[in-house]
Amino acid sequence: MQNSLTRTATFPALTRKAMKLSLPVMLAALFTLTQPVQASETTDNVASQAAATKATTQRINAIQRDLTSIRQQALKANPELVEQAKAFESAYKEKAQEIGYNPEEFIAQAQELQVKIRDEGLSEQERSDLLHDFAKAKQTLAKQRQTLLEDESLMALQNELQNNTLTAMKNHNPKTEELVSELNQLIESLQ
């Protein structure tokens, strides 16, 4: 009987020991099996999100083409809008020149800076000075742009032009308002 008691007493101990040893292996196997499924699900989610984003972007582009076409037709039918747009552009250029706002010049300087920074003969101090000058120029450009955006007379001209153009577009094609609304919704969905 001792033999059978010894066997029953050792069997649970062996079973517990085997379970303790196999538990990490089982957990590792479980995690190994679930990770590809999760990765596959994640990949599927990313792929479906990318497809949805692509479809949304394509629809946005299509709406923008439609609105551009409607706008061009509305401008042809309303030559006073073309004159109003020219007046706004002239006022904008005048104000930009007055405050020294010239983004084209800034872009040219940035491209020139890229070439200079790549020069291997440039010391770290010279490179740092160039980057500092660039940062100052960028900050100046941003302040000038902000000045333009805060100019009340310019903004009033721009708002009037936008409102008149939108009204002409709606009169030319009643679907304009629906397209603008859909465009805004689609853009918001991407953000």
Side-chain angles (χ1 to χ4, degrees):
M1 285 238 194
Q2 250 179 353
N3 227 354
S4 67
L5 283 177
T6 310
R7 274 192 220 157
T8 54
T10 17
F11 182 70
L14 286 176
T15 306
R16 274 186 264 138
K17 189 173 186 178
M19 287 178 67
K20 284 182 184 178
L21 292 174
S22 66
L23 186 61
V25 174
M26 288 181 358
L27 288 174
L30 180 65
F31 287 125
T32 305
L33 292 175
T34 58
Q35 284 177 347
V37 172
Q38 291 171 346
S40 175
E41 289 173 3
T42 302
T43 303
D44 291 346
N45 286 343
V46 169
S48 66
Q49 287 175 347
T53 300
K54 183 178 179 182
T56 301
T57 303
Q58 289 173 342
R59 180 62 185 145
I60 287 172
N61 291 337
I63 292 171
Q64 287 176 332
R65 282 191 300 273
D66 291 348
L67 288 173
T68 298
S69 175
I70 294 169
R71 181 177 174 270
Q72 289 171 344
Q73 293 167 4
L75 290 174
K76 283 181 185 175
N78 298 284
E80 69 278 3
L81 284 176
V82 175
E83 292 305 314
Q84 190 178 2
K86 286 179 182 177
F88 169 71
E89 186 177 340
S90 176
Y92 179 88
K93 284 181 180 179
E94 185 179 312
K95 182 67 176 181
Q97 190 173 14
E98 178 185 312
I99 63 171
Y101 181 71
N102 189 347
E104 292 83 15
E105 183 180 310
F106 175 77
I107 291 169
Q109 287 174 345
Q111 291 170 339
E112 186 179 316
L113 177 71
Q114 281 181 327
V115 172
K116 286 181 181 178
I117 287 180
R118 289 184 185 140
D119 182 6
E120 291 179 14
L122 207 60
S123 74
E124 284 302 314
Q125 183 60 47
E126 291 170 322
R127 188 172 277 115
S128 177
D129 290 345
L130 285 172
L131 289 172
H132 180 67
D133 291 345
F134 176 74
K136 283 175 57 178
K138 185 177 176 183
Q139 188 176 21
T140 300
L141 185 73
K143 285 180 182 176
Q144 292 168 336
R145 184 175 185 277
Q146 190 61 37
T147 300
L148 279 173
L149 294 174
E150 291 173 351
D151 187 281
E152 290 179 16
S153 62
L154 266 183
M155 291 304 104
L157 286 173
Q158 182 182 20
N159 289 336
E160 182 181 3
L161 175 61
Q162 286 176 340
N163 291 336
N164 291 344
T165 303
L166 188 58
T167 300
M169 289 170 66
K170 288 177 187 176
N171 290 338
H172 183 74
N173 188 332
K175 290 183 76 176
T176 299
E177 196 164 350
E178 180 183 319
L179 289 170
V180 170
S181 177
E182 183 182 355
L183 178 63
N184 289 335
Q185 289 174 354
L186 290 171
I187 289 172
E188 283 179 26
S189 76
L190 289 178
Q191 295 174 349

